[in-house]
Amino acid sequence: MKKYAFISILAAACAFVSCEEVSDKMSSDFPSDYTINYGLRQVLQYDPMNINGIDVVDKFDFFSTLSFRIEVHDGKMTHLEFSNGEVPFSPFAFEVPDGVVECEFDTDALPNELRIKGTDHVIAYFQNGEFSIPFQLDSKQLSYKYTFKEIK
């Protein structure tokens, strides 16, 4: 029994030291200020018959004019710019200021939320490495969701 306790303590100590070394290397190699550009991956349309959604991104040319960009300073998301482009409707039930706005990223919420700073206005949800923006238009039977992926 003592043998297993010693091995467990040794393994935990090694794991702790290894994690510390990796995080130190990552922080020195990874820039603290950068910009991430996102492109529209899909626009899902949901209805009672299509609960998994139908991708309609290729059905309308105006979806290609959407843009979404996040600025990171000191390792934190601080500014965002969402442009609706030529899309004739807004996915938001609130007014989004034109241009770059201050934002905050809430990792306590699940999925994580990207909000306009100082408000409860959620711009997008972050999950599985992608941002999504669910929205509703005039029809109560149809709902939609934009999904953005990082553009490299």
Side-chain angles (χ1 to χ4, degrees):
M1 187 71 148
K2 289 182 181 179
K3 180 179 179 181
Y4 293 118
F6 176 73
I7 292 173
S8 296
I9 292 171
L10 182 61
C14 289
F16 179 75
V17 170
S18 296
C19 289
E20 192 173 329
E21 290 175 13
V22 170
S23 66
D24 286 345
K25 288 179 183 176
M26 286 179 65
S27 63
S28 65
D29 292 342
F30 201 75
S32 62
D33 295 343
Y34 54 96
T35 299
I36 308 169
N37 292 304
Y38 289 89
L40 193 61
R41 183 174 67 81
Q42 66 183 6
V43 180
L44 291 179
Q45 175 183 298
Y46 302 95
D47 64 56
M49 298 301 292
N50 296 294
I51 59 172
N52 292 326
I54 299 170
D55 192 358
V56 296
V57 74
D58 294 332
K59 308 267 189 256
F60 302 97
D61 291 337
F62 54 72
F63 285 131
S64 65
T65 64
L66 282 170
S67 66
F68 186 56
R69 186 181 65 141
I70 295 176
E71 293 177 14
V72 177
H73 297 287
D74 295 327
K76 294 182 181 181
M77 294 181 191
T78 60
H79 294 85
L80 70 90
E81 183 175 18
F82 178 85
S83 173
N84 211 37
E86 296 174 9
V87 179
F89 52 83
S90 173
F92 306 109
F94 53 87
E95 187 78 26
V96 177
D98 289 334
V100 178
V101 296
E102 286 188 81
C103 68
E104 49 194 4
F105 190 64
D106 185 358
T107 57
D108 291 332
L110 291 175
N112 300 151
E113 298 176 342
L114 182 65
R115 285 192 225 101
I116 295 176
K117 189 170 184 170
T119 71
D120 290 332
H121 299 308
V122 175
I123 294 291
Y125 298 94
F126 186 76
Q127 193 169 23
N128 299 326
E130 297 180 324
F131 279 99
S132 64
I133 302 172
F135 62 97
Q136 189 82 31
L137 296 175
D138 293 338
S139 172
K140 295 194 187 309
Q141 295 290 318
L142 301 175
S143 61
Y144 300 87
K145 181 174 76 171
Y146 291 147
T147 303
F148 293 88
K149 65 177 181 178
E150 183 178 356
I151 301 171
K152 304 238 180 192

